Amino acid sequence: QVQLVESGGGLVQAGGSLRLSCAASGRTFSSYTMAWFRQAPGKERDFVAAINWIGQNRYYADYAGSVKGRFTISRDNAKNTVYLQMNSLKPEDSAVYYCAAPSYGGIRRIWTAYDYWGQGTQVTVSS
């Protein structure tokens, strides 16, 4: 059974930074796609970023347009952990952030393609 546990959310002023962590357990971590989604009240669950293995110890990262250049996704396979470094935060980044993983396959931007989810961590950016 795959388990994902997020941490690192909180309250930050606009322009500030936060780093989210997602600790995974239950399967071999290094070759699987990992993703971050977010959901604000009354809105759809939106893709934020994802990272997947493309062979020979190389990874590919994909970002939503709204966060590209501000957020960075990374992973530490030795710790079975994926990170989301969020810089230059804006009030519109406020949401519950979820870590997700599919049973198989590469990066997809739709949340229904992911089978495993963490409990979410709240990020609030004040103006």
Side-chain angles (χ1 to χ4, degrees):
Q1 182 72 16
V2 175
Q3 290 189 322
L4 304 174
V5 179
E6 302 100 334
S7 60
L11 173 64
V12 64
Q13 288 188 329
S17 298
L18 283 174
R19 189 177 80 155
L20 306 183
S21 300
C22 172
S25 62
R27 70 176 184 190
T28 303
F29 176 77
S30 61
S31 60
Y32 283 89
T33 296
M34 298 294 295
W36 289 95
F37 285 76
R38 66 186 182 187
Q39 189 167 21
K43 295 191 175 181
E44 294 280 316
R45 188 167 295 193
D46 290 333
F47 172 78
V48 176
I51 185 168
N52 76 329
W53 181 67
I54 57 173
Q56 297 183 328
N57 206 32
R58 295 184 301 156
Y59 292 86
Y60 171 79
D62 186 30
Y63 297 92
S66 59
V67 307
K68 196 167 188 177
R70 301 187 297 123
F71 291 12
T72 302
I73 188 170
S74 61
R75 61 197 296 161
D76 183 338
N77 292 331
K79 296 182 179 180
N80 279 5
T81 300
V82 62
Y83 303 99
L84 185 67
Q85 177 66 44
M86 306 186 293
N87 299 330
S88 302
L89 282 161
K90 305 174 182 180
E92 51 264 43
D93 293 319
S94 297
V96 177
Y97 283 70
Y98 296 92
C99 177
S103 294
Y104 61 92
I107 293 172
R108 284 161 284 182
R109 292 187 168 201
I110 186 167
W111 69 269
T112 53
Y114 292 79
D115 303 289
Y116 305 106
W117 292 87
Q119 81 287 355
T121 186
Q122 177 70 49
V123 171
T124 304
V125 184
S126 63
S127 56

